Amino acid sequence: MYEDKTLICKDCGGEFIFTSGEQEFYAEKGFVNEPQRCKVCRDNRKSSLRGEREMFVTVCSQCGGEAKVPFKPREDREVLCSECFASKKEA
């Protein structure tokens, strides 16, 4: 069985845990190398490689406020601001 391992991040030098569950997942996927970066550094690296997303400003269909969305709004679809989207999702 797998046991949690403490690894050192090659970017920030901090320690992070490579859990037994993560090790099992790596084995199932056929990955042979252990992760070299902590989650924060991995996320930062991914976002820097991906670049900034283009955001579109439109009017919220529900409250009439400003809505910033990562897609080009269409006339035939409702667009919600973050707050209205969250409240609709909860309902």
Side-chain angles (χ1 to χ4, degrees):
M1 295 307 318
Y2 299 102
E3 292 184 22
D4 290 357
K5 292 182 182 179
T6 301
L7 303 176
I8 305 297
C9 177
K10 80 176 200 175
D11 286 351
C12 71
E15 292 184 350
F16 66 98
I17 304 296
F18 186 34
T19 67
S20 59
E22 291 170 329
Q23 292 174 51
E24 188 174 346
F25 174 79
Y26 271 52
E28 287 174 7
K29 295 294 181 183
F31 301 149
V32 292
N33 297 322
E34 294 178 342
Q36 296 182 3
R37 293 176 179 87
C38 65
K39 173 133 177 65
V40 171
C41 290
R42 277 196 316 265
D43 290 345
N44 289 340
R45 186 165 190 259
K46 284 180 190 175
S47 66
S48 71
L49 293 175
R50 181 174 41 223
E52 290 295 316
R53 282 181 111 172
E54 182 179 2
M55 298 297 279
F56 297 87
V57 179
T58 189
V59 176
C60 176
S61 300
Q62 191 167 331
C63 72
E66 182 180 274
K68 291 183 181 176
V69 293
F71 56 88
K72 187 171 182 176
R74 296 185 349 204
E75 296 295 324
D76 62 332
R77 304 281 311 258
E78 90 173 347
V79 177
L80 303 176
C81 66
S82 300
E83 293 81 21
C84 291
F85 181 79
S87 66
K88 186 174 184 174
K89 194 174 180 181
E90 290 174 0

